[in-house]
Amino acid sequence: MLVPHEKIRQILSAYDKKKIKIATICSHTALQIFHGARLEGIKTIGITTQKRRKVYEAFPLGKPDKFIEVDDLREVPASELVDENAILIPHGSLVEYSGSKLEELAVPILGNRHSLLWEKDRKKMFEWLKAAGLQVPATIEPDKIDRPCIVKLPGAKGGRGYRVVHSSEEFYEKFGGMNVTVQEYLIGVRVYPHYFYSPLSKDGYRASEGKIELIGIDRRFESNIDEAYRTEQAGLSFTPSFTVVGNELLVIRESLLEDLLEMGKNLVEAADRLFGGIPGPFCLETICDENMQFFAFEVSARIVAGTNIYPLGSPYTAYLYPEPMSMGRRIAREIKLASKANKLQKIVY
Ligand code: ATP
């Protein structure tokens, strides 16, 4: 059950606007979030286990101003955060660890928590992608597999356990009785654009009541598929797997930027219609085929790990801001601007 919007409004209206802090759990994109907030002059809180604390202390410019130690990262200390005037920044680990508890947390969260429900349910997520007019891979019934398909386990597990199958027989042999999604396997280049939607300004690429910024693009490095040529050269055979290991920067043909911007704009406007919008960062996972057509298979309405590549700005933020701008810093900038304009309610739920 989502915590009522009205309750978050009340908590936020009691905050001292001059002392807003940024909080997140120490994982995923936390270094970047703390670093960006520091550059914007906003104090930060890192929720951590005792063991992990030293990792963040090893990076003085990326560590939080204050640590809150917990025994288990699934436990977000909501009332302590409220006492600290904190806004919680959701990232991949926070969403994965907290699960449905995140929806219930009585602490202001950047973005719209309705989006959490839409991105975690694959059927709803595809409804959103389609409502935005994006092309998506076909979802195939297990007994009708007529082409190479990728079989996906539920939840955001960074591709862990995914396999390619070529027939219904192979599917039942490997996944019979399991709750999985079977999707057409797309051939092309993976392109994962990172966007920021701001309802506070119209100065830029217009979307809904504000604008979107294309902050960067990454491509993931997945084991073992992305080093397949080495394995093959070594004369070994292997079963392709898709577990994310890291990310690398991607810059695409400039003539494709219009497609990326339009996809971002359409996602924002579809989110408006379906569940009241997605202020803040979001990301798409797409494959661009040989005809320069983009097919989207995932959307995340939050900061993604691919943004960790550019803590001091990307090849795209260079044309948006004169100062080094990361996604973490962009988040802090938005909170600062919204707070000054008394519009925090617009970007937080
Ligand atoms: P996360 O939530 O961390 O993004 P996930 O577990 O939801 O991960 P996906 O992002 O859906 O997994 O997919 C993992 C990887 O599998 C992708 O990065 C891509 O390389 C590959 N993949 C996913 N869907 C397809 C597809 N339809 N065709 C080809 N490859 C795909």
Side-chain angles (χ1 to χ4, degrees), residues 122 137 150 152 155-160 162 183-186 190 192 220 222 242 285 287 297-298 302:
R122 213 168 254 133
I150 183 162
K152 302 186 172 190
K157 304 251 178 322
R160 198 178 292 264
Y162 289 13
Q183 214 170 68
E184 164 187 26
Y185 187 90
L186 298 165
R190 286 162 303 136
Y192 299 169
R220 291 173 167 187
E222 293 164 354
F242 300 85
E285 293 178 34
I287 286 180
F297 57 88
E298 179 126 335
R302 54 170 170 79

Side-chain angles (χ1 to χ4, degrees), residues 157-163 220-226 240-246:
K157 304 251 178 322
R160 198 178 292 264
Y162 289 13
R163 284 280 178 271
R220 291 173 167 187
F221 227 73
E222 293 164 354
S223 187
N224 50 26
I225 185 103
D226 285 320
S241 63
F242 300 85
T243 310
V244 179
V245 175

Side-chain angles (χ1 to χ4, degrees), residues 92-107:
S93 304
L94 187 61
V95 170
E96 182 62 16
Y97 296 164
S98 316
S100 51
K101 276 196 202 155
L102 190 57
E103 296 144 34
E104 297 161 14
L105 275 185
V107 59

